[in-house]
Amino acid sequence: MLYRVTFDISFDNSIKTGSFSGFIVRGIVYNMLKRIDESLFRQVHDSKTIAPFSCTPLYTCEGRIMWYYVPKGAHSFQVILLDENLQHRFLLELQKNRSLWEIDYYGYRARIQTSSIEQINLSFSRENSCDYRQLHVKFLSPTFFRRQYPYIPQKYAKEYKIRLRKKPRSLVYPFPDPQLLFNNIVRIWEKYAPAKPGSLEKFRDWIDCGGLAVSEHRLKTVKVIEHKTTNKYQRGFIGYAKLTATENNSEMLRIAHILLKFAEVVGVGGCRTAGFGRIRVEVL
């Protein structure tokens, strides 16, 4: 069971930190968690596993993503809660503790005007058939993956008992490689989604064997500032990519579409908690 909380927030003054607005949202959420329960905050903040929540960046009233400059006034953002314990604690405190609605972000004061809670309906998991071979994925906010070098798919590493002389390095990979894209979504699904959309093991094998390929793209690599004073930043890409099936396998394409619709809700890739990896998918 997943929940999406939409916040309408009003800032007393413009924010000129130079940070991407997704990092501002993450800071606000961590601030709220710390005030709810210090141990809960530490558990979430220091976790080395798949993050139990996702955030969007700040949006204008017209629905546009705000990047670095946040003017005073009304804006909105969303928090997607994946973990049951986090859902229970966060939603309960949000409704009974109105002091959480007063925000102090590095001296910038803001207040939450309204909040709405929505239980996410994964009705797309009941999709039965498909008659398409292309998927159009638009990357609305910066997105990146981590890829090991040398990269060997788990299937082959296990089958041939491949051993490396040293531990692979993990590097930021700013491109929607289908293997990295879908393996990332599958990991989130397996940890937090209630039911399987089909055989994910077969789907992984299909992706590893080149079942989907990037046939067209228009992508731009961006450098996103987290802390201007410390020169801390992250790289990602925005734009669109078309994924084309290399064979007409309707069952695997059905699962691919379901996973991408799921990623529309929870995000994909690294830094989901800071508004990265927001996507929109269409079939062609």
Side-chain angles (χ1 to χ4, degrees), residues 55-75:
C55 293
T56 69
L58 283 168
Y59 292 114
T60 64
C61 295
E62 296 79 22
R64 295 194 304 272
I65 290 177
M66 308 188 75
W67 286 77
Y68 297 109
Y69 175 68
V70 180
K72 70 176 183 179
H75 311 294

Side-chain angles (χ1 to χ4, degrees), residues 25 47 64 67 70 83 87 182 209 214 217 221 227 245 247:
V25 170
S47 174
R64 295 194 304 272
W67 286 77
V70 180
D83 177 74
Q87 291 167 359
F182 284 102
C209 292
V214 176
H217 69 81
T221 304
H227 295 296
E247 61 176 355

Side-chain angles (χ1 to χ4, degrees), residues 155-156 183 200-211 252:
K155 176 178 182 290
Y156 302 111
N183 283 332
L200 293 178
E201 184 176 351
K202 289 182 180 179
F203 178 78
R204 274 199 178 109
D205 289 344
W206 184 68
I207 288 294
D208 282 346
C209 292
M252 295 298 103

Side-chain angles (χ1 to χ4, degrees), residues 25-131:
V25 170
R26 183 169 70 180
I28 291 172
V29 174
Y30 278 152
N31 179 271
M32 296 172 77
L33 288 175
K34 196 171 185 178
R35 291 153 66 190
I36 291 171
D37 187 333
E38 178 80 26
S39 62
L40 176 64
F41 161 71
R42 284 295 169 197
Q43 179 184 344
V44 173
H45 183 272
D46 299 340
S47 174
K48 300 299 182 183
T49 61
I50 301 169
F53 74 96
S54 303
C55 293
T56 69
L58 283 168
Y59 292 114
T60 64
C61 295
E62 296 79 22
R64 295 194 304 272
I65 290 177
M66 308 188 75
W67 286 77
Y68 297 109
Y69 175 68
V70 180
K72 70 176 183 179
H75 311 294
S76 67
F77 66 91
Q78 294 178 339
V79 180
I80 297 86
L81 303 170
L82 309 177
D83 177 74
E84 287 188 11
N85 179 52
L86 180 61
Q87 291 167 359
H88 175 73
R89 296 295 305 279
F90 189 84
L91 297 179
L92 181 64
E93 291 293 332
L94 183 66
Q95 294 178 73
K96 75 175 187 179
N97 187 356
R98 287 287 172 151
S99 67
L100 292 175
W101 293 42
E102 298 294 327
I103 306 296
D104 188 342
Y105 178 79
Y106 291 100
Y108 293 95
R109 297 191 63 80
R111 67 184 58 83
I112 294 170
Q113 303 293 348
T114 62
S115 68
S116 60
I117 301 170
E118 173 191 2
Q119 183 176 333
I120 298 172
N121 181 14
L122 298 179
S123 59
F124 48 75
S125 65
R126 295 192 293 271
E127 181 183 295
N128 293 319
S129 61
C130 68
D131 56 358

